């Protein structure tokens, strides 16, 4: 490759310009700038440094505190958010990071090696996939129970009065792989309803959103979700709902770096204070 | 003057791999690695022994049929709507042309799920346009296959418009003028002169739009919902399967990859040979 043609002096006069010309390759005519090797090397080094800083570990903040990562089913959002405050008051050097999603997605993440410390799912079936893979420390503990209800938008546009009215309405349910979907399927069987849902959402929070935004006539959610939505929804009881109870297990994830703090979180959830918080949001307690 | 240039060109050393500078080669191989390694990983982890069982399950075949149908319909809609728009942008100098062209590229840079939410707020049952339609006709477009087509068209249209506009810009206007001077009507010129000249560009734009529509996920799952047979396209099927069966998801991913690559490769040879896409 022939080098860029550069005159031995720049067209302007000042020494600074000449220095810039030599380092930066600003030749004549100035608008045909070709970077010298120096400039290219500096740019490459700068980019590399920037990339490396981004890759640097960020698990501990500069104050030296620990981060506890808790993966929890979507239905636990409000309860665990409140417990986060309680926990951080009791353990001032721990920062709790909560991640909510469908239990089956979270279980899949843990078995794929996601870096987390605690897992709380909405039924034992999803937790079993994780314990079978050997990714939990010890046996999971049941810490809460939940049952399902039907919710409609607050103005109930389709006039749903009971589960039988659902066959002509557009209904949102969870995917069968998720705990809420599995419970919905059982309830429909118990009530002899053959329902064709309009959509199957990944997690129960999405079902609730579809109802509150008015996109569907009704949805199957947990008692806790209906309570959290308050006046945004009308709640309809499902016959036999007491027979379909979701037990919520919680466990420390194997190979967690913070198993002590993780166990503290579980202890908090099982304590009177934790159980009172869960009950406040509509869960059935275990102690 | 030109003979001097020709001679120096003839004397220039032939390009050979050994003479490509490392500063080019290393990042280029890096780029190749970024593109190829994930695909290689997919192949390596695929459960080859269970392949047929996964591929013939009803969920997968239904999703595949739905994906292929909706992607093709979306491509046709993009062609019908996008080609005239591209012609406008390429051939007519109107006020606000720059703005319109920028508007066309918005779905390209918009995250697909944002596109889905935008569609929902407009065409959803409680949406700006959806609400009056629902109250007047009782028709709701969300959770139907039509919604899938709308979502796919929204994300694929820019690809087609930009490709066709590029093709139209590069065709020589003089042919149109010659046709006009020989007495051809404007419509006849458009159909028999302009379109065939821009043909390869239009086809590559259509193929790109088809491929983009096939792979659409965020807008589909948000706007159209997720139900087997009606709205669960292949990407949604992959996402659903992954929640409980990671190896099954890999198989479906490979299928999607094979379909996309197969169509792109096949079309490229026959229809757009000699034209860079």
């Amino acid at each position: 490759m022939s080098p860029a043609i550069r005159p031995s002096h720049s067209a302007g006069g000042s020494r600074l310009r000449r220095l810039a010309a030599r380092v930066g390759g600003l030749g004549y005519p100035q608008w045909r700038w070709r970077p010298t090797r120096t400039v290219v090397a500096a740019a490459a080094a700068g980019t590399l440094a920037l990339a490396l800083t981004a890759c640097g570990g960020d698990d501990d903040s500069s104050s030296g505190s620990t981060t506890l990562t808790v993966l929890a089913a979507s239905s636990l959002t409000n309860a665990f958010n409140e417990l986060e405050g309680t926990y951080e008051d009791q353990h001032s050097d721990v920062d709790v990071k909560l991640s909510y999603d469908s239990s089956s997605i979270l279980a899949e993440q843990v078995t794929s090696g996601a870096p987390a410390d605690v897992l709380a799912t909405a039924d034992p079936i999803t937790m079993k996939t994780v314990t079978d893979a050997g990714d939990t420390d010890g046996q999971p503990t049941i810490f809460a129970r939940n049952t399902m209800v039907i919710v409609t938008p607050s103005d109930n546009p389709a006039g749903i009065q009971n589960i039988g009215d659902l066959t002509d309405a557009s209904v949102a349910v969870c995917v069968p792989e998720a705990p809420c979907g599995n419970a919905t399927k059982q309830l429909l069987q118990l009530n002899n309803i053959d329902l064709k849902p309009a959509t199957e959402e990944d997690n129960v929070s999405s079902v609730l959103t579809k109802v509150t935004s008015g996109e569907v006539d009704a949805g199957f959610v947990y008692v806790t979700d209906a309570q959290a939505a308050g006046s945004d929804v009308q709640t309809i009881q499902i016959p036999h709902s007491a027979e379909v109870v979701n037990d919520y297990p919680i466990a420390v994830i194997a190979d967690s770096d913070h198993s002590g703090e993780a166990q503290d979180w579980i202890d908090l959830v099982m304590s009177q204070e934790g159980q009172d918080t869960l009950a406040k949001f509509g869960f059935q307690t275990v102690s | 003057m030109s003979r001097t240039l020709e001679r120096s060109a003839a004397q220039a050393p032939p390009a050979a791999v050994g003479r490509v500078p490392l500063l080019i080669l290393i990042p280029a191989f890096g780029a190749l690695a970024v593109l190829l390694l994930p695909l290689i990983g997919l192949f390596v982890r695929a459960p080859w022994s269970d392949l047929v069982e996964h591929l013939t399950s009803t969920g997968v075949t239904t999703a595949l049929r739905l994906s292929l149908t909706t992607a093709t319909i979306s491509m046709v809609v993009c062609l019908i709507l996008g080609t005239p728009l591209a012609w406008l942008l390429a051939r007519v100098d109107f006020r606000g042309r720059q703005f319109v062209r920028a508007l066309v590229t918005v779905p390209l840079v918009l995250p697909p799920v944002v596109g889905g939410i935008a569609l929902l707020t407009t065409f959803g049952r409680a949406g700006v346009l959806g609400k009056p339609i629902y109250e007047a006709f009782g028709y709701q477009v969300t959770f139907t296959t039509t919604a899938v087509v709308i979502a796919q068209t929204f994300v694929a249209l820019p690809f087609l418009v930009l490709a066709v506009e590029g093709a139209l810009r590069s065709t020589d206007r003089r042919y149109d003028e010659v046709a006009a001077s020989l007495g051809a009507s404007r419509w006849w010129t458009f159909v028999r002169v302009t379109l065939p000249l821009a043909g390869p560009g239009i086809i590559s734009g259509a193929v790109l739009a088809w491929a983009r529509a096939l792979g659409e996920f965020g807008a589909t799952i948000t706007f159209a919902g997720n139900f087997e047979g009606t709205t669960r396209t292949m990407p949604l099927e992959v996402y659903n399967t992954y929640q409980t069966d990671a190896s099954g998801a890999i198989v479906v991913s490979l299928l999607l990859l094979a379909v996309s690559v197969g169509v792109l490769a096949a079309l490229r040879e026959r229809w757009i040979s000699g034209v860079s896409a």
Side-chain angles (χ1 to χ4, degrees):
Chain A
M1 251 192 339
S2 60
I5 297 169
R6 287 192 293 276
S8 54
H9 64 276
S10 65
S14 74
R15 273 172 69 188
L16 190 61
R17 269 189 91 157
R18 269 180 273 146
L19 178 66
R22 203 174 314 137
V23 169
L26 192 69
Y28 177 80
Q30 273 85 334
W31 45 264
R32 282 217 282 164
W33 180 78
R34 274 168 231 185
T36 56
R37 285 207 169 87
T38 323
V39 172
V40 173
T47 318
L48 198 63
L50 208 62
L52 283 175
T53 53
C55 294
D58 57 346
D59 35 14
D60 287 301
S61 67
S62 54
S63 66
S65 67
T66 346
T67 307
L68 180 71
T69 309
V70 178
L71 305 179
S74 316
S75 41
L76 290 162
T77 306
N78 291 334
F80 271 24
N81 278 348
E82 188 162 308
L83 284 175
E84 176 191 3
T86 317
Y87 185 91
E88 285 177 352
D89 288 339
Q90 294 172 356
H91 304 80
S92 51
D93 62 335
V94 183
D95 180 25
V96 180
K97 289 243 181 315
L98 290 152
S99 179
Y100 302 106
D101 207 336
S102 157
S103 305
S104 35
I105 293 180
L106 293 174
E108 188 62 48
Q109 287 176 351
V110 173
T111 50
S112 308
D117 305 303
V118 183
L119 176 67
T121 61
D123 75 358
I125 301 173
T126 37
M127 181 58 87
K128 189 168 184 300
T129 60
V130 181
T131 48
D132 284 350
D135 286 320
T136 52
D137 257 345
Q139 285 304 309
T141 329
I142 306 291
F143 68 98
R145 299 201 163 87
N146 216 348
T147 52
M148 300 206 72
V149 288
I150 297 170
V151 287
T152 71
S154 52
D155 55 348
N156 199 352
I160 312 276
Q161 302 292 331
N162 54 56
I163 194 171
D165 295 336
L166 292 181
T167 38
D168 294 322
S170 75
V171 184
V173 298
C174 293
V175 284
E177 292 85 15
C180 44
N182 189 18
T184 307
K185 205 166 69 167
Q186 291 177 45
L187 281 168
L188 288 171
Q189 273 172 356
L190 280 172
N191 283 283
N192 287 316
I193 305 275
D194 187 19
L195 184 69
K196 192 170 180 289
T199 180
E200 289 174 352
E201 299 293 316
D202 285 323
N203 59 53
V204 74
S205 304
S206 302
V207 175
L208 188 63
T209 309
K210 282 280 189 291
V211 173
T212 53
S213 64
E215 281 306 320
V216 291
D217 296 324
F220 279 77
V221 299
Y222 292 117
V223 162
T224 49
D225 300 300
Q227 185 175 316
S231 54
D232 289 337
V233 296
Q234 272 188 40
T235 309
I236 295 161
Q237 298 300 322
I238 308 175
H240 304 287
S241 62
E243 296 166 46
V244 181
V245 179
N246 276 26
D247 289 336
Y248 280 51
I250 189 168
V252 176
I253 296 173
D255 300 332
S256 151
D257 289 331
H258 310 107
S259 45
E261 288 87 350
Q263 192 55 49
D264 288 342
W265 176 268
I266 296 181
D267 293 339
L268 173 64
V269 164
M270 297 299 293
S271 71
Q272 191 57 48
E273 191 177 2
Q275 294 288 297
D276 286 344
T277 308
L278 288 163
K280 186 169 94 173
F281 288 101
F283 287 93
Q284 296 171 29
T285 52
V286 292
S287 58
Chain B
M1 178 79 147
S2 61
R3 223 178 290 154
T4 325
L5 287 172
E6 280 174 82
R7 218 186 309 139
S8 52
Q11 285 170 352
V17 174
R19 305 200 64 181
V20 177
L22 277 180
L23 211 55
I24 302 271
L25 269 185
I26 293 179
F29 277 119
L32 268 181
V34 167
L35 293 173
L36 278 181
L37 284 178
L39 301 179
I40 294 174
L42 205 58
F43 272 95
V44 168
R45 277 279 177 270
W48 296 103
S49 47
D50 302 326
L51 204 71
V52 179
E53 180 195 325
H54 279 122
L55 286 179
T56 49
S57 70
T58 45
V60 174
T61 48
T62 315
L64 183 63
R65 206 176 329 128
L66 184 69
S67 268
L68 292 175
T69 319
T70 50
T72 311
I73 297 175
S74 303
M75 179 187 75
V76 170
V77 172
C78 286
L79 274 170
I80 295 174
L81 295 179
T83 313
L85 179 61
W87 193 88
L88 262 180
L89 286 173
R91 293 292 173 87
V92 180
D93 196 3
F94 59 93
R95 279 247 300 264
R97 184 163 73 160
Q98 295 287 50
F99 174 72
V100 173
R101 192 179 287 123
L103 202 65
V104 166
T105 51
V106 162
L108 273 179
V109 296
L110 203 65
V113 70
V114 174
I117 293 182
L119 287 167
L120 205 57
T121 52
T122 313
F123 298 108
R125 200 163 76 166
V128 174
L129 290 179
K131 193 154 188 270
I133 292 176
Y134 184 69
E135 281 165 1
F137 305 105
Y139 177 68
Q140 177 187 1
V141 77
T142 41
F143 315 128
T144 59
T145 316
T146 313
V148 179
V149 173
I150 294 176
Q152 290 178 347
T153 308
F154 179 76
V155 297
L157 195 58
F159 286 90
L160 187 112
V161 170
L162 291 176
V164 175
E165 191 201 337
L168 285 171
R169 274 175 178 273
S170 64
T171 58
D172 204 334
R173 283 207 193 198
R174 290 179 296 179
Y175 290 111
D176 294 18
E177 287 162 17
V178 166
S181 73
L182 290 173
S185 70
R186 285 200 298 189
W187 177 248
W188 199 95
T189 314
F190 178 69
V191 173
R192 303 289 232 117
V193 179
T194 321
L195 277 188
L197 278 175
I202 295 178
I203 290 181
S204 69
V207 170
L208 266 176
W210 184 88
R212 179 68 188 88
L214 191 74
E216 177 45 42
F217 174 79
T220 315
I221 200 171
T222 320
F223 178 55
N226 180 10
F227 190 67
E228 186 174 346
T230 326
T231 52
R232 189 173 293 164
T233 52
M234 283 287 277
L236 271 64
E237 176 69 24
V238 172
Y239 185 62
N240 255 58
T241 314
Y242 182 69
Q243 290 181 33
T244 43
D245 179 10
S247 5
I250 297 176
V251 172
V252 187
S253 307
L254 279 176
L255 178 62
L256 197 55
L257 184 65
V259 169
S260 316
V261 170
V263 172
L264 286 171
L267 275 178
R268 202 166 165 71
E269 296 304 323
R270 283 179 58 201
W271 294 97
I272 42 183
S273 55
V275 178
S276 52

